[in-house]
Amino acid sequence: MGRVWMRGALAALGVWSAAAQAADAGAPELTREAIENAAFHEVSEEAKPDTASKPAKKSKKEAGAKKEAEKKPDPLLVKVQVLLDRARFSPGAIDGRDGENLRGALKAFAAAQGLPPGDRLTREVFDRLQATGKDPVVTQYTITEVDVKGPFVEKMPPKMEEQAEVGPMRYTNIREMLAERFHMQRDLLSALNPNVPLDKAGGTLVVAAVPPLGEGKVEGAPVAPKVTRIEVDKRTKRVRAFAEDGKLTADYPASIGSSEKPAPDGSAKVKAVAFDPWYTYNPKYKFKGVKATKKFSIHPGPNNPVGLVWIDLSIPSYGIHGTPEPEKVGKTESHGCIRLTNWDARDLASHTQKGAKVEFLDK
């Protein structure tokens, strides 16, 4: 999304966010304090950009500096994404950048709050997000010996047939593991902690203050609020979870279907929920790039093709599941199923009742 377009859209709303201002002022420093203190600012009419007049031409150096600033995570957007995540309106992997997953989460949150429709950060949305809790949005985490030890998969083969020989589908390194544990993009983890070596215990990291990704079966599942209906919205690429009283309890970004195996239409039911599932490939799927003519199985683990969770649907071979590539959720296709980040898939699975209705929407 171009910055000129974004600034024009925000100006039309009478609001210009701190994130938009940062593009001209240079990206703000990414620190724990900057994130905690990040505020949404309205600006006067005089300070808004003049979208009617042609912008002054900038030098190559100025243009290059601005482009570089736009690539960096914005403290305000980190804060907003953490607040959305904790409110269970998931922005996907927290990266501190504008994007489709963030806009989808903002739109869903605004609708749930009864605010004017839109997918932009406004004063009302920001205030409601801040009202969801007063806990810090980032926190500190000390790297442990267990973290450093792993074990990790030294090299993850790209082909499914080869993955069947790997054994447990663990993380490939500590950076991947810690980023996923705290619902973060790997680049953001590195940007927040540029001088902390990840291969040594004792280092203190700044991470998103979200419920850390768990392991194994969730005790007592399904836990309250119990989900009895799920909407899979193909148009918005979001998955919504509803309680028995009809209340929306969570909203997640998703990769839904593909050209070779489109997501189904109509409705289905949840047959079962499996944590840490094995993945079995059936040759009849005929996935692109998979040449196997016989069934094969891949061990459980976060890098399993269906991640840490499989929510089995009454439609054969279809399910809602996790992924080994959380940063691509909502941005790439799935092999016909509904793919969520591992942390969102575990969250949904921990609340979903057997027999819950799943509706596929395309309008």
Side-chain angles (χ1 to χ4, degrees):
M1 178 176 67
R3 282 286 179 180
V4 173
W5 182 92
M6 185 181 79
R7 291 194 301 177
L10 290 171
L13 288 170
V15 176
W16 191 21
S17 75
Q21 295 174 49
D24 283 333
E29 188 178 1
L30 189 68
T31 63
R32 184 180 182 184
E33 292 74 20
I35 295 170
E36 293 292 355
N37 297 325
F40 183 86
H41 295 290
E42 294 178 346
V43 296
S44 64
E45 292 295 328
E46 292 78 9
K48 293 176 189 175
D50 183 2
T51 57
S53 61
K54 188 176 180 180
K57 188 175 181 179
K58 296 187 177 183
S59 68
K60 288 185 178 180
K61 185 177 181 179
E62 289 174 321
K66 182 177 178 181
K67 188 174 182 180
E68 187 64 29
E70 290 172 357
K71 290 180 181 179
K72 295 181 179 179
D74 186 278
L76 173 63
L77 296 187
V78 173
K79 183 175 189 175
V80 167
Q81 288 173 324
V82 171
L83 291 173
L84 285 165
D85 183 293
R86 295 198 310 215
R88 302 183 70 208
F89 289 84
S90 174
I94 297 167
D95 60 7
R97 297 184 177 92
D98 188 21
E100 187 175 345
N101 287 343
L102 171 59
R103 294 194 296 273
L106 286 170
K107 185 176 182 179
F109 180 79
Q113 292 289 314
L115 298 175
D119 60 0
R120 308 291 164 184
L121 183 62
T122 66
R123 165 59 61 193
E124 289 179 303
V125 170
F126 185 70
D127 288 347
R128 293 289 181 91
L129 277 172
Q130 291 214 111
T132 59
K134 295 183 178 180
D135 292 337
V137 293
V138 288
T139 189
Q140 291 183 317
Y141 176 79
T142 301
I143 301 171
T144 68
E145 293 284 358
V146 174
D147 293 332
V148 174
K149 185 177 179 181
F152 303 103
V153 176
E154 290 187 9
K155 186 177 181 181
M156 185 65 67
K159 295 183 178 180
M160 280 189 175
E161 298 98 320
E162 297 171 347
Q163 291 175 3
E165 306 300 322
V166 169
M169 296 291 283
R170 301 185 177 101
Y171 292 109
T172 57
N173 54 59
I174 189 172
R175 179 172 177 254
E176 179 189 22
M177 178 184 72
L178 292 176
E180 188 158 327
R181 182 180 297 173
F182 297 104
H183 310 185
M184 299 165 67
Q185 184 193 55
R186 284 169 285 184
D187 285 350
L188 178 62
L189 178 68
S190 297
L192 276 169
N193 304 282
N195 300 314
V196 182
L198 298 179
D199 59 350
K200 296 180 181 179
T204 300
L205 300 171
V206 176
V207 297
V210 296
L213 175 64
E215 299 178 353
K217 185 178 179 181
V218 175
E219 294 299 324
V223 298
K226 295 181 180 180
V227 172
T228 60
R229 183 170 67 88
I230 298 170
E231 289 182 351
V232 178
D233 194 325
K234 302 178 189 178
R235 182 179 55 84
T236 62
K237 292 189 285 189
R238 306 284 300 184
V239 169
R240 295 183 283 271
F242 297 87
E244 191 172 10
D245 61 2
K247 183 179 179 180
L248 175 67
T249 64
D251 193 297
Y252 317 96
S255 292
I256 303 171
S258 65
S259 56
E260 59 182 342
K261 189 179 180 185
D265 296 315
S267 62
K269 288 187 176 182
V270 171
K271 290 179 62 179
V273 173
F275 294 93
D276 293 333
W278 283 74
Y279 174 81
T280 299
Y281 177 77
N282 191 326
K284 72 178 183 180
Y285 299 159
K286 296 182 179 180
F287 289 163
K288 185 177 180 180
V290 183
K291 299 179 180 179
T293 57
K294 294 182 179 180
K295 288 184 178 181
F296 61 84
S297 295
I298 299 176
H299 282 72
N303 274 313
N304 180 285
V306 295
L308 292 173
V309 169
W310 174 261
I311 301 175
D312 194 35
L313 302 184
S314 55
I315 303 173
S317 80
Y318 282 94
I320 303 173
H321 60 82
T323 178
E325 298 179 302
E327 296 174 15
K328 293 183 179 180
V329 165
K331 304 172 186 179
T332 59
E333 294 184 331
S334 173
H335 285 303
C337 294
I338 303 91
R339 182 189 305 165
L340 310 177
T341 66
N342 276 333
W343 56 89
D344 287 341
R346 274 185 62 88
D347 182 67
L348 177 60
S350 68
H351 293 274
T352 299
Q353 286 192 179
K354 182 178 179 181
K357 185 177 182 180
V358 180
E359 298 173 304
F360 292 88
L361 312 177
D362 53 14
K363 293 183 180 180

